[in-house]
Amino acid sequence: MAYIPSVDLVPRALAGDERAIARLLTRAENGTAEARPAFDTLFARAGRAHVVGITGVPGSGKSTLVSKLAKAIRATGRTVAIVAIDPSSPFSGGSILGDRIRMGDLGGDPGVFMRSMATRGALGGLARGTLEAVDILDAAGYDMVLIETVGVGQDEVDIARAAHTTVVVSAPGLGDEIQAIKAGVLEIADIHVVSKCDKPDANKTIADLKNMLMLGMVAGKPAWRPMVIPTSAPQDQGVTELLAAIDRHRVALDTSGEISARRAMIDERRLIKASEEILRDRFEQHRHGRLAALLGNVSRREMSPHSAATRLIAELGEYA
Amino acid sequence: MQSNGDRIRVIIAKVGLDGHDRGVKIVARTLRDAGMDVIYTGLHRTPEEVVEAAVQEDVDVIGVSILSGAHMTVFPRILDALKAKKADDILVVGGGVIPDDECEALKKLGVKEILLQDTPPAEIVAMVKRVVTERGTR
Ligand code: B12
Ligand SMILES: Nc1nc2c(ncn2[C@@H]2O[C@H](COP(=O)(O)OP(=O)(O)OP(=O)(O)O)[C@@H](O)[C@H]2O)c(=O)[nH]1
Ligand SMILES: [Mg+2]
């Protein structure tokens, strides 16, 4: 089989061809240089989809919830794409991507596209290429794009700089997790879900969360106040309410004008991340050239690491 | 065309009522430890669901683990569904409990390789790399 140039895949992807979309997603994940012009075109065509992030500690029930939410979205007639991220092994670089295990119900519906992605060493809960993947699915016409992050702990809050609406999932019975995660992840929530409410200690988790939200409440009348939604997968509870809240959040963003601020925040993060990646790739390419030479200066203490870095970046810029 | 980030993508599937999942978990871990991205479908999928997932995941290889005896219906349905989606550049391999003569029959139908009980991990990895290399880039 011959290599299909990425620019030739673009019109097919825009027309909704699953194979073309899937191949472009692979190239986004791999950071394939040949595909950059194609991604640029797709970026220009994107911007219509409502992007929703689903995050929470490992095993909190994200995939189960995403599956149910996708069904609810389909029931309203909208189409939905899912990007579900799992960690790569730091040892082999490989991964086992298991989010599909909970999404068996979604098979056979052409209005749903589900893709697994590995982090490939990226920190922050997303994968390298996640946002290009969102562009591709958005441009291909999916009305909503759901991003399931890696199971996150404290500091992995990148999702709030990637999605228009962020849902944080907490499950009862995972210890004193509310205390543990409140610092980072809880603050980014537009909507809180307490999953597994068929379990006995769910009420305490709901009460704890509501208390915390009260403490953090600001005076006046903000455009949006985060709420707590209890869900249970086996009892089919809470998902309609969750979708209604997600839709209301989108309306609130639009009517308050806050959506522009969110978009600007997402763009800023992407610009900075992309710059970092370009620099990192160039470092790799010049590992044996300028980097090695400057390293010599540092090890002889002729130059501090900071001055050498300044010099290195200036010189790498000249090679661009 | 290669780039630094290229990795072999494999979907590992269990189809039908077959609940034997020890082998499939070993195979998934083995391939991950060889640096591949491995998507696991979970139990009880239909052949058509596996193919749909394989297309969306853009995998190089579908690996089916089958110990239920249903291999002579499952593999042909997977191969047919791939052809129907014009996706027969996705390679199909298998393992589990399958009589030798039926392994040969399945290979004639288009299954690239079948590895049975007690196959050492290194051999599974080498086989997947070999069939992907033989297919070439796409
Ligand atoms: C353990 C076992 C069970 C356990 C399963 C536990 C579990 N969670 O997996 C339990 C007790 C639950 C069980 C139940 C049954 N079992 Co049972 N079971 C076995 C047994 C003894 C071993 C299977 C095993 O785990 N092997 C170890 C793993 C590591 O080996 P493996 O799966 O073969 O995988 C290796 C290779 O095949 C290969 N491989 C596997 N998959 C793949 C995929 C790819 C892509 C590749 C490249 C390679 C590859 O790599 C692996 C590593 O080398 C086999 C006998 C046997 N000789 O296989 C019977 C056997 C599979 N079971 C059998 C039967 C009949 C049943 C039951 C129907 C019994 C009953 N009447 O209730 C139920 C069905 C359950 C169900 N829902 O499917 C029959 C199947 C007969 C057939 N195919 O015609 C067998 C063959 C026993 C027999 N001789 O009759 N079973
Ligand atoms: N009782 C109960 N169990 C649930 C519920 N939702 C999910 N689970 C179970 O919780 C476990 C983890 O669910 P997943 O949906 O895989 O969780 P996840 O957050 O996606 O997990 P990772 O992706 O590994 O971080 C599974 O065993 C689910 O069956 C629920 O509402 N009630
Ligand atoms: Mg998950």
Side-chain angles (χ1 to χ4, degrees):
Chain A
M1 280 227 35
Y3 186 91
I4 306 170
S6 298
V7 287
D8 295 346
L9 292 171
V10 170
R12 287 171 53 192
L14 290 173
D17 175 344
E18 286 203 346
R19 290 223 82 196
I21 295 169
R23 187 63 44 83
L24 285 167
L25 291 174
T26 305
R27 291 178 190 170
E29 195 172 18
N30 291 345
T32 307
E34 179 271 348
R36 284 293 160 204
F39 297 155
D40 290 352
T41 310
L42 289 160
F43 175 76
R45 298 286 294 263
R48 205 189 50 88
H50 183 184
V51 183
V52 179
I54 317 280
T55 191
V57 298
S60 52
K62 299 179 291 297
S63 299
T64 308
L65 191 70
V66 164
S67 178
K68 301 245 169 211
L69 188 59
K71 278 255 169 203
I73 293 166
R74 290 294 294 135
T76 68
R78 286 174 283 180
T79 57
V80 58
I82 299 163
V83 179
I85 303 154
D86 271 331
S88 299
S89 156
F91 304 107
S92 73
S95 64
I96 294 180
L97 308 173
D99 292 319
R100 266 187 187 271
I101 298 170
R102 314 271 169 233
M103 300 192 193
D105 284 355
L106 300 176
D109 179 352
V112 180
F113 190 107
M114 150 69 193
R115 178 65 175 234
S116 314
M117 279 183 115
T119 53
R120 305 225 176 147
L123 303 172
L126 301 181
R128 251 187 132 167
T130 298
L131 291 181
E132 276 91 358
V134 171
D135 287 343
I136 294 165
L137 295 162
D138 179 340
Y142 290 96
D143 297 315
M144 294 183 83
V145 180
L146 310 180
I147 306 174
E148 178 188 337
T149 72
V150 175
V152 292
Q154 297 242 10
D155 308 317
E156 296 112 326
V157 294
D158 273 4
I159 188 64
R161 306 270 181 283
H164 305 129
T165 302
T166 300
V167 178
V168 175
V169 183
S170 310
L174 291 177
D176 284 328
E177 78 286 349
I178 298 293
Q179 280 304 316
I181 62 177
K182 75 175 176 198
V185 178
L186 285 193
E187 281 165 23
I188 64 173
D190 298 306
I191 299 166
H192 290 278
V193 164
V194 174
S195 62
K196 311 192 189 184
C197 284
D198 44 286
K199 293 208 169 177
D201 34 359
N203 283 338
K204 183 177 181 307
T205 308
I206 296 170
D208 283 356
L209 255 174
K210 284 190 169 159
N211 273 336
M212 275 187 32
L213 290 178
M214 294 274 279
L215 289 175
M217 206 124 94
V218 287
K221 207 171 177 311
W224 183 257
R225 280 194 203 284
M227 71 284 282
V228 180
I229 299 178
T231 66
S232 163
Q235 297 174 355
D236 241 323
Q237 180 208 328
V239 176
T240 322
E241 291 80 356
L242 174 59
L243 178 57
I246 289 170
D247 287 340
R248 265 186 284 123
H249 183 248
R250 181 59 206 251
V251 170
L253 286 178
D254 286 338
T255 47
S256 66
E258 166 76 12
I259 188 72
S260 319
R262 291 254 170 158
R263 287 190 196 284
M265 206 163 71
I266 295 170
D267 292 342
E268 182 183 314
R269 173 183 170 278
R270 288 187 72 171
L271 179 56
I272 290 171
K273 281 272 173 188
S275 313
E276 282 173 10
E277 274 170 23
I278 290 169
L279 277 179
R280 202 177 328 116
D281 288 347
R282 272 195 205 147
F283 285 158
E284 286 301 319
Q285 283 159 22
H286 293 270
R287 183 171 280 282
H288 303 293
R290 285 307 298 153
L291 193 63
L294 284 165
L295 203 53
N297 293 28
V298 175
S299 57
R300 291 187 297 276
R301 294 194 182 266
E302 296 159 6
M303 223 184 253
S304 74
H306 190 273
S307 331
T310 312
R311 175 83 66 86
L312 182 63
I313 285 177
E315 290 180 4
L316 288 183
E318 288 160 20
Y319 291 117
Chain B
M1 193 166 304
Q2 295 291 121
S3 71
N4 317 337
D6 285 10
R7 249 171 226 293
I8 294 178
R9 281 175 82 79
V10 184
I11 194 163
I12 296 289
K14 288 294 297 184
V15 178
L17 296 173
D18 185 2
H20 298 91
D21 64 355
R22 289 189 192 161
V24 85
K25 286 180 175 158
I26 291 175
V27 173
R29 253 179 278 132
T30 300
L31 297 179
R32 176 200 61 193
D33 292 344
M36 302 180 196
D37 281 336
V38 182
I39 296 114
Y40 179 43
T41 61
L43 298 172
H44 310 312
R45 293 301 185 263
T46 67
E48 292 72 22
E49 284 170 359
V50 170
V51 167
E52 181 189 70
V55 165
Q56 294 182 353
E57 298 287 358
D58 192 35
V59 295
D60 299 287
V61 176
I62 299 177
V64 187
S65 172
I66 238 187
L67 288 80
S68 67
H71 45 271
M72 292 310 289
T73 47
V74 166
F75 281 107
R77 267 173 70 184
I78 287 178
L79 294 166
D80 287 347
L82 282 171
K83 284 198 196 90
K85 289 205 180 233
K86 295 200 174 63
D88 43 4
D89 55 310
I90 298 177
L91 309 164
V92 179
V93 301
V97 177
I98 302 175
D100 290 345
D101 53 333
E102 291 180 336
C103 286
E104 287 314 309
L106 289 170
K107 283 192 210 161
K108 286 211 178 77
L109 289 175
V111 176
K112 287 289 166 209
E113 190 59 87
I114 298 176
L115 299 178
L116 304 175
Q117 215 177 351
D118 300 327
T119 309
E123 202 172 307
I124 297 177
V125 171
M127 182 275 288
V128 171
K129 287 187 176 160
R130 173 172 59 78
V131 297
V132 171
T133 310
E134 281 169 8
R135 184 206 56 200
T137 53
R138 49 170 197 175

